[in-house]
């Protein structure tokens, strides 16, 4: 019902990923949680605790197993560690996308091209004379 509910909701997250292919910060807004495309999947997501996984991992961040059953009865199961887990790390492209997504939800609007400029500086840290150049570029990235 609320943005905070969505942030901690497995059905919301899974429904959004089914509908859109991924979950971004824009999905965790009032508009995002009311997106009709996602809403048509949310009641189809059912969550339960797998006793075997729970027994083996307890609260040590167990893997999640996702099984999708189609209308024709076929099922597809995935149980890979979530993206960002040490066994399934983010790629450099994933990290760039997450950074740009986060910058677009900053308190102040971001200047055009600023996230890419910051990322380019990070990619070439060894070429900076002083790390304060990066800090200044970051501070100047916002329209205040």
């Amino acid at each position: 019902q609320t943005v905070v509910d969505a942030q901690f909701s497995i059905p919301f997250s899974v429904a959004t990923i089914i509908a859109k292919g991924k979950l971004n910060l824009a999905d965790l807004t009032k508009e995002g949680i009311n997106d009709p495309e996602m809403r048509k999947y949310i009641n189809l997501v059912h969550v339960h605790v797998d006793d075997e996984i729970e027994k083996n991992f307890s609260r040590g961040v167990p893997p999640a197993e996702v099984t999708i059953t189609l209308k024709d009865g076929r099922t597809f199961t995935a149980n890979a560690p979530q993206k960002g887990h040490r066994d399934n790390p983010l790629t450099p492209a994933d990290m760039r996308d997450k950074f740009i997504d986060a910058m677009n939800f900053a308190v102040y609007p971001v200047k055009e091209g600023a996230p890419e400029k910051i990322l380019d500086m990070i990619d070439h840290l060894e070429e900076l004379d002083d790390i304060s150049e990066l800090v200044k570029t970051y501070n100047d990235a916002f329209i205040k």
Side-chain angles (χ1 to χ4, degrees):
Q1 300 300 315
T2 70
V3 171
V4 174
D5 291 339
Q7 291 171 339
F8 296 97
S9 169
I10 293 171
F12 175 85
S13 298
V14 171
T16 302
I17 292 167
I18 290 170
K20 300 178 179 183
K22 62 182 175 178
L23 178 70
N24 287 323
L25 291 175
D27 299 311
L28 296 167
T29 62
K30 248 186 168 165
E31 297 77 22
I33 67 172
N34 292 305
D35 183 334
E37 184 64 22
M38 178 278 307
R39 286 271 173 197
K40 68 184 183 184
Y41 295 105
I42 199 162
N43 291 325
L44 300 174
V45 177
H46 306 286
V47 179
H48 74 275
V49 174
D50 182 311
D51 292 331
E52 192 64 26
I53 290 174
E54 190 67 18
K55 181 177 85 176
N56 292 331
F57 292 91
S58 185
R59 289 287 155 232
V61 188
E65 183 172 281
V66 176
T67 301
I68 296 177
T69 304
L70 302 181
K71 286 180 181 179
D72 66 9
R74 289 181 296 152
T75 62
F76 300 89
T77 300
N79 61 2
Q82 77 178 43
K83 197 73 165 161
H85 186 276
R86 69 175 178 265
D87 294 335
N88 188 14
L90 295 172
T91 66
D94 293 331
M95 288 187 279
R96 293 178 77 84
D97 290 346
K98 286 181 83 60
F99 177 77
I100 291 169
D101 186 41
M103 287 286 287
N104 289 324
F105 279 87
V107 172
Y108 297 108
V110 178
K111 294 177 184 172
E112 177 104 18
E116 293 81 1
K117 185 176 181 180
I118 293 166
L119 288 167
D120 186 57
M121 290 180 84
I122 292 170
D123 287 343
H124 299 94
L125 279 176
E126 69 280 358
E127 297 170 18
L128 295 178
D129 293 328
D130 187 329
I131 195 68
S132 65
E133 294 175 45
L134 175 60
V135 174
K136 181 179 179 342
T137 301
Y138 177 81
N139 287 333
D140 291 343
F142 302 98
I143 302 167
K144 298 177 185 169

